[in-house]
Amino acid sequence: MDNAYHQLLSDIKATIRQERQKAIRQLNRSLISVYWEIGRHIIERQQHEASKDFPNLRQLVAEIPWGYAIFQTASEELPRL
């Protein structure tokens, strides 16, 4: 019985550890999503303000295809996390 009791405690501890890890991963996903949204709002605001001050900014960004491609890919992939 002593051995069975120790096994039960070990199983319970393992379950708690696993669930804590799941909770941490979910929290990290949620935080990444929140920070992504905050960043998106900041960028949109900056772009809106910049379009007033620098009307050709979008054209300039479009002329740098690799930078735009990286931004486009990231903006499509990150929300899926």
Side-chain angles (χ1 to χ4, degrees), residues 31-64:
L31 288 173
I32 289 170
S33 179
V34 167
Y35 294 143
W36 176 259
E37 284 298 312
I38 290 169
R40 187 177 63 79
H41 288 298
I42 291 170
I43 295 295
E44 286 175 356
R45 177 73 183 259
Q46 287 175 338
Q47 287 176 343
H48 177 71
E49 295 299 317
S51 66
K52 292 178 189 174
D53 298 332
F54 305 101
N56 296 328
L57 183 62
R58 287 194 184 272
Q59 180 183 353
L60 178 63
V61 170
E63 291 173 2
I64 308 172

Side-chain angles (χ1 to χ4, degrees), residues 2-47:
D2 190 38
N3 199 16
Y5 178 74
H6 289 294
Q7 184 61 46
L8 175 64
L9 287 180
S10 179
D11 291 346
I12 290 170
K13 288 177 184 179
T15 300
I16 290 171
R17 270 189 237 110
Q18 289 172 350
E19 292 305 314
R20 281 183 180 164
Q21 287 301 317
K22 285 181 188 177
I24 289 169
R25 283 192 298 272
Q26 182 58 43
L27 176 62
N28 285 342
R29 283 187 204 105
S30 296
L31 288 173
I32 289 170
S33 179
V34 167
Y35 294 143
W36 176 259
E37 284 298 312
I38 290 169
R40 187 177 63 79
H41 288 298
I42 291 170
I43 295 295
E44 286 175 356
R45 177 73 183 259
Q46 287 175 338
Q47 287 176 343

